[in-house]
Amino acid sequence: MAQKLITLVAYAIALLFLSNPANAATCTWSGGTGSWDNVNTASWSCGHVPISTDIVVFDGTSGGGVVTPNATINVQGITLGNFTGTLAVSTNNNNVTLGVSGFSCSGVATRNVSLGNGTWTINDATGTAWSCGTVTGLTWNANSSTIILNLTSL
């Protein structure tokens, strides 16, 4: 009886790890114009709405258009590559929390980021919270947003 219980518990733990997207690392937007909400899994390469352990990527494969977050964002980071479009956080003024990967930019595509009136909190222990360096074709609209950088290392 004890052996069956141990086997059952082992299977339950295995199912938990296999069905939990917490180990997923990268979620690339592939939906063109659309809503980043808590139910739209079809627009993400990872097959689930990004969670706090994921890095979100917008790049050349993301399609153009406007991505409108309709929920609070809590992810490890956002990477904006050669995405030709707009990340319109300002539409719903959502709060955004980024982890150790922060916000990074690269490429030369024409894109816009509208921060909105919410609070952007970046919790970073590596000192690379906002890594956009020299990029072209990127327009920021801060609106009345608040940006909080929680840095433990510079």
Side-chain angles (χ1 to χ4, degrees), residues 36-87:
W36 176 353
D37 55 32
N38 289 326
V39 294
N40 180 9
T41 61
S43 295
W44 297 103
S45 66
C46 57
H48 64 267
V49 176
I51 59 174
S52 63
T53 56
D54 294 328
I55 296 172
V56 170
V57 175
F58 295 95
D59 63 14
T61 66
S62 297
V66 178
V67 178
T68 306
N70 289 327
T72 297
I73 297 170
N74 182 9
V75 294
Q76 275 301 310
I78 295 176
T79 299
L80 194 63
N82 281 325
F83 167 63
T84 305
T86 299
L87 179 57

Side-chain angles (χ1 to χ4, degrees), residues 21-136:
N23 296 324
T26 302
C27 292
T28 302
W29 177 265
S30 58
T33 292
S35 297
W36 176 353
D37 55 32
N38 289 326
V39 294
N40 180 9
T41 61
S43 295
W44 297 103
S45 66
C46 57
H48 64 267
V49 176
I51 59 174
S52 63
T53 56
D54 294 328
I55 296 172
V56 170
V57 175
F58 295 95
D59 63 14
T61 66
S62 297
V66 178
V67 178
T68 306
N70 289 327
T72 297
I73 297 170
N74 182 9
V75 294
Q76 275 301 310
I78 295 176
T79 299
L80 194 63
N82 281 325
F83 167 63
T84 305
T86 299
L87 179 57
V89 180
S90 63
T91 301
N92 295 307
N93 297 312
N94 302 101
N95 292 328
V96 177
T97 301
L98 304 178
V100 66
S101 297
F103 198 99
S104 62
C105 311
S106 63
V108 295
T110 301
R111 57 251 152 118
N112 299 290
V113 178
S114 188
L115 302 181
N117 298 327
T119 299
W120 285 61
T121 304
I122 304 174
N123 301 306
D124 180 29
T126 64
T128 58
W130 203 268
S131 176
C132 288
T134 302
V135 295
T136 58

